[in-house]
């Protein structure tokens, strides 16, 4: 193999902090209404799952006896 005498083309890219191009990428295609509706429904489903798990999980996270719990006594324990 032979060795090139001139520097490698585009070697300045490695030396630069960030490569800036004057060529703009093509614009992204716009989302269709059905895609927007689908993404919205997926987002709402995820949020509803988080809220539901929080509502069902909070009672399990409570510590100690509940003060609002009423103890039911039978008539036999009243001693009448």
């Amino acid at each position: 193999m032979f060795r090139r005498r001139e520097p490698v083309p585009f070697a300045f890219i490695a030396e630069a902090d960030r490569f800036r191009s004057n060529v703009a990428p093509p614009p992204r295609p716009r989302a269709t209404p059905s895609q927007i509706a689908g993404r919205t429904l997926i987002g709402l489903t995820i949020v509803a799952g988080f809220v539901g798990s929080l509502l069902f999980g909070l009672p399990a996270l409570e510590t100690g006896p509940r003060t609002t719990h009423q103890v039911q006594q039978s008539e036999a324990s009243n001693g009448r």
Side-chain angles (χ1 to χ4, degrees), residues 25-72:
R28 292 180 56 187
R30 295 189 64 178
T32 63
S34 62
Q35 288 176 335
I36 293 172
R39 291 175 187 169
T40 303
L41 286 175
I42 288 174
L44 287 175
T45 303
I46 292 172
V47 169
F50 284 142
V51 170
S53 65
L54 185 66
L55 288 176
F56 285 119
L58 278 180
L61 295 175
E62 292 180 2
T63 59
R66 297 180 71 164
T67 57
T68 60
H69 183 70
Q70 295 178 352
V71 178
Q72 295 181 353

